[in-house]
Amino acid sequence: MICVLAGGVGAARFLRGLIQVVPPAEVTAVVNVADDMVLSGLHISPDLDTVTYTLAGVNDTERGWGLAGETWHALEALRRFDPDAWFSLGDRDLGTHLYRTGRLAAGATLSEATAGICAGFGLEVSVLPVTDDPLRTRVTLATDDGAAGEEVDFQDYFVRRRHDVAVHSLRFDGADVARPAPGVLAALDAAEVIVVAPSNPLVSIDPVLAVPGVRQALTERRADVVAVSPIVAGRALKGPADRLLRELGHDPSAIGVARHYAEVAATLVIDEADADRAADVEAAGMRCVVAPTVMSTPERAAALAARTIESGRGHQAAGS
Ligand code: FO1
């Protein structure tokens, strides 16, 4: 079994590649829920849905989030009453949020609601929220002179402000008391290889690691953990990972990613464009594998997944 720690789009593409090279029933995705929010009374789980829709092959590939062939009649109707509605829920996507919210209101856990959604899409992959407890990323914006300013919800920062603002710090509200969802620690324990997907290290993977027990589970399995760098030639392919790394005091490069993950993962896969940084990655304490990491086609995603899994298995064979 392969276990993948996952955020949104990058992880979803990686997982879609992975199920081309590993039987889907042998894959477990442990997914970030700290981007979740309640909007118009509906519980939205962006990363869970991005992973689910992509694995099911029904995602909108242009936007990266939501469903293909989406229409926006409900949003237009909502804007009659709230012209400033800034978070776009498509008509088809709404079905997912209605189902999830209904199940939660009836007493189901987020894991149970997620299992129902995955069954509805016919998925064989186990998609697990990292926790069923409330976990929310809160973003403290930086003032012009770099001091701590207003603290806002993650989606307020990411979508409403288009992550085009300086960040002072992050915290994961609820992380201290959150419990891993059923199956999470068992999957980390049983996995042949654990992959840290090419997701934003600071706002997608760190909240997953912040759930008590998860970081320790990875540390204990460090030799079998392979991380894939989401930074290529100093840039994030999507989203604000490069800017956030810089603003929060990390090197916005494969080396910064290596330093960030060295405690939990033995191996880092970096892109060919960063081949000249391999020695620095190794100096940061990680074994370095150089491969094409840009998942511009499903074939490239499958090749990256195959290489990543081989790297984890190879490391085990080497006995390190
Ligand atoms: N991202 C946007 O940039 N604008 C949106 O209006 C938006 C709506 C949305 C609705 C449902 C959903 O599951 C995701 C949605 N996203 C939207 C994406 C999402 O909020 C972010 O990309 C992630 O949270 C970051 O991983």
Side-chain angles (χ1 to χ4, degrees), residues 155-194:
Q155 297 297 349
D156 187 316
Y157 155 72
F158 197 93
V159 173
R160 190 158 89 88
R161 296 166 201 256
R162 298 166 194 264
H163 47 77
D164 191 19
V165 284
V167 170
H168 175 275
S169 53
L170 301 167
R171 73 181 175 93
F172 307 121
D173 198 19
D176 50 341
V177 290
R179 295 154 301 173
V184 167
L185 294 183
L188 291 170
D189 188 43
E192 185 189 356
V193 176
I194 300 169

Side-chain angles (χ1 to χ4, degrees), residues 12-254:
R13 286 196 186 138
F14 181 89
L15 283 159
R16 182 110 169 108
L18 184 61
I19 59 169
Q20 309 306 311
V21 298
V22 171
E26 291 175 23
V27 174
T28 299
V30 173
V31 183
N32 175 38
V33 294
D35 296 11
D36 287 21
M37 70 165 170
V38 174
L39 186 70
S40 303
L42 299 176
H43 185 116
I44 322 287
S45 294
D47 285 353
L48 281 169
D49 290 347
T50 297
V51 164
T52 303
Y53 295 165
T54 305
L55 282 169
V58 296
N59 60 307
D60 185 294
T61 49
E62 294 270 302
R63 277 196 313 275
W65 49 270
L67 288 158
E70 193 55 281
T71 56
W72 307 94
H73 301 293
L75 181 65
E76 282 161 28
L78 179 67
R79 284 195 171 134
R80 177 189 299 272
F81 316 114
D82 180 7
D84 299 327
W86 47 267
F87 198 79
S88 302
L89 296 180
D91 299 327
R92 293 180 178 193
D93 191 28
L94 269 171
T96 307
H97 310 312
L98 289 171
Y99 173 80
R100 177 188 294 115
T101 306
R103 290 289 311 270
L104 293 174
T109 62
L110 184 58
S111 303
E112 289 163 348
T114 302
I117 292 165
C118 290
F121 282 105
L123 292 194
E124 289 178 68
V125 174
S126 294
V127 178
L128 307 179
V130 63
T131 180
D132 285 334
D133 297 323
L135 175 67
R136 297 290 177 270
T137 298
R138 303 272 296 161
V139 181
T140 299
L141 306 178
T143 61
D144 289 344
D145 54 7
E150 186 187 354
E151 187 182 67
V152 300
D153 290 338
F154 179 77
Q155 297 297 349
D156 187 316
Y157 155 72
F158 197 93
V159 173
R160 190 158 89 88
R161 296 166 201 256
R162 298 166 194 264
H163 47 77
D164 191 19
V165 284
V167 170
H168 175 275
S169 53
L170 301 167
R171 73 181 175 93
F172 307 121
D173 198 19
D176 50 341
V177 290
R179 295 154 301 173
V184 167
L185 294 183
L188 291 170
D189 188 43
E192 185 189 356
V193 176
I194 300 169
V195 178
V196 179
S199 297
N200 188 317
L202 302 180
V203 294
S204 297
I205 301 299
D206 275 1
V208 171
L209 295 174
V211 173
V214 175
R215 173 179 282 275
Q216 192 191 340
L218 262 78
T219 309
E220 283 167 9
R221 303 275 332 263
R222 183 180 180 276
D224 309 317
V225 183
V226 184
V228 182
S229 174
I231 303 289
V232 174
R235 305 275 313 261
L237 295 174
K238 198 170 186 339
D242 46 1
R243 180 174 179 173
L244 275 179
L245 281 165
R246 194 176 321 108
E247 286 175 349
L248 297 177
H250 306 269
D251 190 346
S253 70

Side-chain angles (χ1 to χ4, degrees), residues 229 231 245 250-262 268 270 274 276-284 286:
S229 174
I231 303 289
L245 281 165
H250 306 269
D251 190 346
S253 70
I255 303 159
V257 175
R259 290 189 188 123
H260 194 65
Y261 285 145
L268 183 67
I270 67 169
D274 294 315
D276 59 341
R277 320 303 297 267
D280 295 324
V281 167
E282 302 233 345
M286 295 186 86

